[in-house]
Amino acid sequence: MCATCGCSGGTILEHHEHDHVHHHGHGHDHGHRHGHPETRTVTLEQAVLARNDALAELNRTWLAERGILAVNLMSSPGAGKTTLLERTIRELGAEVRVSVVEGDQETVLDADRIRATGAPAVQINTGSGCHLDAQMLAGGLRTLDPPERSVVLIENVGNLVCPALFDLGEQARVVITSVTEGAEKPRKYPQMFRAADLVLLNKTDLLPYVDFDISAFLEGARRANPGVEVLQLSATTGDGVTGWYDWLRARLPRQ
């Protein structure tokens, strides 16, 4: 169990036509709390994050040596990450090779959706875990073996707390939220928005049907992260997705 967030380890499910291959591992140190609980907890948290950060640097170096852009997509459940990935792969697939690392507590449903687009994907099931970590990503990259000069999109576990704490070795972090979730999300979860390089406000096609204050949302996002870029789009209809594609294109590895 992780001392930082209380979660347990993860399992990589490598898809084959008839079977799954399981790889076990987790980047968290394990221990029992004795003596002074608060002091012990802080020590464990520091050790967990330090070990994760060291592994993240190895991932970053591995990706840089191959000219691979890795983007960590984070959101609460139901914000539309997988739908956005499906559209992105279908509409950018002719320009750039895309691989996907899927993080969920259970099932291979999202990875199957991604594979249906023709892109390679690996599913990492975290069990009771609430986030991916650097060791899990390293295992996913080994399984995917993405080509040089390509893009790896990482769909993190649906959660607006824990994923913000763990560096995976990615080059950029994108937070996706939707108009169905409420405009107060940046104020309630500032650490997540503070960690973002880009914020995507999804499901704008539903604005006529929900009570969502865009001005309040933008104010909250920029209070947490002054100057952060916020793009409004609908992954379902395609409205506004060109801004997201342009953001990705600007960060693609040079040929």
Side-chain angles (χ1 to χ4, degrees), residues 68-220:
I68 297 171
L69 171 66
V71 180
N72 186 2
L73 304 178
M74 302 177 288
S75 79
S76 57
K81 294 191 302 297
T82 310
T83 301
L84 180 63
L85 283 173
E86 289 174 312
R87 180 176 284 275
T88 300
I89 293 165
R90 290 191 173 110
E91 297 186 352
L92 283 188
E95 296 181 35
V96 61
R97 293 169 292 182
V98 178
S99 305
V100 177
V101 175
E102 282 288 345
D104 270 313
Q105 290 190 322
E106 299 291 343
T107 80
V108 295
L109 295 174
D110 286 350
D112 286 343
R113 286 174 60 182
I114 296 302
R115 293 186 190 107
T117 69
V122 62
Q123 181 76 50
I124 301 178
N125 287 151
T126 62
S128 61
C130 56
H131 61 88
L132 297 176
D133 64 23
Q135 182 171 330
M136 294 178 193
L137 178 62
L141 292 173
R142 285 194 299 271
T143 302
L144 276 176
D145 191 21
E148 294 185 0
R149 309 295 175 185
S150 67
V151 174
V152 174
L153 297 177
I154 306 157
E155 183 173 354
N156 216 315
V157 179
N159 186 331
L160 283 178
V161 181
C162 302
L165 299 174
F166 286 81
D167 182 7
L168 305 181
E170 72 275 44
Q171 284 88 351
R173 291 181 168 191
V174 176
V175 173
I176 303 171
T177 188
S178 69
V179 301
T180 58
E181 297 176 65
E184 74 283 354
K185 281 293 187 290
R187 300 185 67 181
K188 294 175 70 174
Y189 303 96
Q191 181 61 36
M192 175 61 74
F193 287 83
R194 197 172 295 128
D197 298 293
L198 174 69
V199 174
L200 298 180
L201 179 60
N202 191 24
K203 304 187 182 182
T204 53
D205 54 306
L206 299 180
L207 278 170
Y209 313 106
V210 297
D211 182 13
F212 186 88
D213 188 334
I214 291 181
S215 296
F217 175 83
L218 294 175
E219 180 186 357

Side-chain angles (χ1 to χ4, degrees), residues 6-20:
C7 67
S8 58
T11 301
I12 297 175
L13 303 180
E14 182 180 359
H15 176 80
H16 292 278
E17 186 174 358
H18 300 294
D19 60 353
H20 290 157

